[in-house]
Structures are given as C-alpha cells and as structure tokens.
C-alpha cells in the first residue's frame, strides 16, 4: 500500500485516473436511476444518453487539458543572459547622473513656478 503502480507513476496521471473513475462512477449511478425512470416516464433514451455524453465530454476535457499546459515556458540560458543584460542596462540608465536631465527638470520646475506667480499677480485677479 502507498506504492504507485508503474503504469501511473506520474502524479498528474494519478489525479486524472482518480477523477475519471469518479466521473464514470457517478455516471453509472445516474444511469441506474435514469434507465428505469425513462421507461416509466416514456422519455426514451434522452436522459441516459445525456449522462453518457456528459461523462465522455468530462473525461476528454480532463485527459486533454494537460496537453496544452504540459511544458511551462522556461527561458533558455541565452535568453536569461540577454534579459540580465537588459536589466543591467536599465539600472545603469536609471542610476546615472544625467546633468542634462536634471537641468531640464529644474528649468521646467522654474517655468511652472514663474507661470503660477504671473497668474496670481495679474491685474485681472486683483479686481
């Protein structure tokens, strides 16, 4: 007990098998109830076929869902190096002391302050 069968050694396979077993177990229970009721209600095979179709669709969804997500998007070593270089370049740009940029910021601040002062000292605002 506790050992996995060699056929289903992958944990995702165990989950798929367990879920499929539950789906079809519940479907058999539904069929056991639906078949006698369909004879009494004269509804035909619609309800049992719907149960079988739902179980089939659920099983297909479970077993095919992992195919699309099977390989996580890992970066290769070359891609990681390229990203590290780009990050280093951005850090250099951000941390560099760009005097031209500081002068532009200072000029914009002084222009904005001068503009605010002229708005409050115009004769229109004093009236």
């Amino acid at each position: 007990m506790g050992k996995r069968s060699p056929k289903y050694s992958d944990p995702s396979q165990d989950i798929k098998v367990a879920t499929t077993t539950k789906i079809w177990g519940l479907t058999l229970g539904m069929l056991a109830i639906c078949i006698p009721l369909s004879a009494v209600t004269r509804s035909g095979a619609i309800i049992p076929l719907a149960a079988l179709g739902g179980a089939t669709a659920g099983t297909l969804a479970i077993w095919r869902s992992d195919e699309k997500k099977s390989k996580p998007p890992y970066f290769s070593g070359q891609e990681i190096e390229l990203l590290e270089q780009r990050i280093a370049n951005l850090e250099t740009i951000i941390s560099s002391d760009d005097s031209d940029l500081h002068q532009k910021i200072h000029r914009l601040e002084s222009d904005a302050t001068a503009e605010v002062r002229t708005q409050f000292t115009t004769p229109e605002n004093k009236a």
Side-chain angles (χ1 to χ4, degrees):
M1 207 168 169
K3 286 188 173 182
R4 293 185 180 154
S5 66
K7 187 176 182 181
Y8 303 111
S9 61
D10 185 19
S12 66
Q13 295 292 334
D14 283 343
I15 292 170
K16 289 179 181 181
V17 170
T19 307
T20 303
T21 303
K22 287 180 184 178
I23 288 174
W24 284 100
L26 291 171
T27 303
L28 286 176
M30 286 186 253
L31 289 174
I33 295 170
C34 289
I35 291 174
L37 285 178
S38 66
V40 172
T41 60
R42 296 180 187 162
S43 63
I46 294 172
I47 296 174
L49 287 175
L52 288 172
T56 303
T59 302
L60 287 173
I62 288 169
W63 285 93
R64 289 190 177 182
S65 67
D66 199 34
E67 292 174 4
K68 296 176 184 172
K69 300 175 185 175
S70 64
K71 294 183 181 178
Y74 292 116
F75 293 111
S76 68
Q78 185 179 10
E79 291 173 328
I80 290 174
E81 285 181 31
L82 179 65
L83 288 172
E84 287 175 351
Q85 289 174 358
R86 292 180 72 182
I87 290 171
N89 288 340
L90 288 173
E91 288 173 345
T92 304
I93 291 169
I94 290 172
S95 64
S96 69
D97 187 25
D98 189 5
S99 62
D100 186 44
L101 179 63
H102 290 295
Q103 289 174 356
K104 289 179 182 178
I105 292 172
H106 184 66
R107 191 177 329 122
L108 287 173
E109 287 175 348
S110 63
D111 289 347
T113 306
E115 186 178 322
V116 169
R117 285 183 187 159
T118 57
Q119 286 179 353
F120 287 112
T121 59
T122 58
E124 299 163 354
N125 290 338
K126 291 182 180 179

